[in-house]
Amino acid sequence: MRIFDVLKRKSYFAVAAVSAILMLIVFPLIQVQASGGLQNIDLWFKVIPIQNLTLVIIFSIIFGAFLAFQIYNLKSKVCSIENKAASAAGGGLASLLGILVPACPACISIITLLLPASLGISIASIFIKYSTILLSTSILLLLLGIYLLGGFKKS
């Protein structure tokens, strides 16, 4: 598959690894900022369901691979503009959705800081209730982005 060929290159693997690690660091930091600050970071790791933690890790890894592959395709000009645009839109939506979803049930979404209190809390409660589904959807959107870029085609 083309994505593995790209990730075998040191520079693109480095982009994927650094962006995945940054996402793993930023993801909980954004969520604890919305629910009381950095002193709650230990709580985030204590109460997050194992399936959500697994999905966050998978999301971060696929996000890194997607970003590296998107950069490769932008530089190499081997993919159509329409597919690049669709992939960027899907990846952007996936990233936004993934960041807005509170993975731990004790956290609130960052969206609560952007909206009026009652509306933000209502939306956050929906995000919390369906967090596993929303994180899975984010992963599928990232995979769709890689597919649109031709990442799953044979080399």
Side-chain angles (χ1 to χ4, degrees):
M1 286 190 278
R2 288 184 56 223
I3 189 159
F4 294 128
D5 292 338
V6 171
L7 292 175
K8 286 178 186 175
R9 299 177 185 186
K10 289 181 183 178
S11 60
Y12 291 108
F13 181 78
V15 168
V18 168
S19 58
I21 291 168
L22 283 174
M23 183 58 77
L24 277 172
I25 293 169
V26 168
F27 195 93
L29 289 179
I30 288 175
Q31 290 187 2
V32 297
Q33 287 299 331
S35 54
L38 290 178
Q39 68 270 17
N40 290 336
I41 194 77
D42 62 329
L43 176 66
W44 192 87
F45 285 103
K46 287 179 186 174
V47 298
I48 186 171
I50 191 69
Q51 73 269 15
N52 284 3
L53 182 60
T54 304
L55 288 173
V56 167
I57 292 168
I58 292 169
F59 172 80
S60 297
I61 292 168
I62 295 175
F63 172 81
F66 168 80
L67 185 62
F69 196 61
Q70 180 79 320
I71 292 169
Y72 166 79
N73 275 298
L74 288 172
K75 286 185 175 183
S76 66
K77 299 178 175 120
V78 294
C79 187
S80 73
I81 296 294
E82 294 82 15
N83 284 356
K84 287 179 188 175
S87 174
L93 178 64
S95 301
L96 181 64
L97 180 62
I99 288 173
L100 291 179
V101 173
C104 88
C107 297
I108 58 175
S109 173
I110 194 77
I111 201 164
T112 57
L113 300 176
L114 306 173
L115 297 172
S118 61
L119 180 61
I121 292 172
S122 299
I123 291 175
S125 66
I126 292 169
F127 279 8
I128 291 169
K129 184 176 182 179
Y130 298 107
S131 63
T132 304
I133 293 169
L134 293 171
L135 284 169
S136 299
T137 302
S138 294
I139 292 169
L140 291 174
L141 285 171
L142 286 173
L143 291 172
L144 175 64
I146 293 171
Y147 171 78
L148 290 172
L149 290 172
F152 299 122
K153 291 181 180 177
K154 291 184 180 179
S155 303

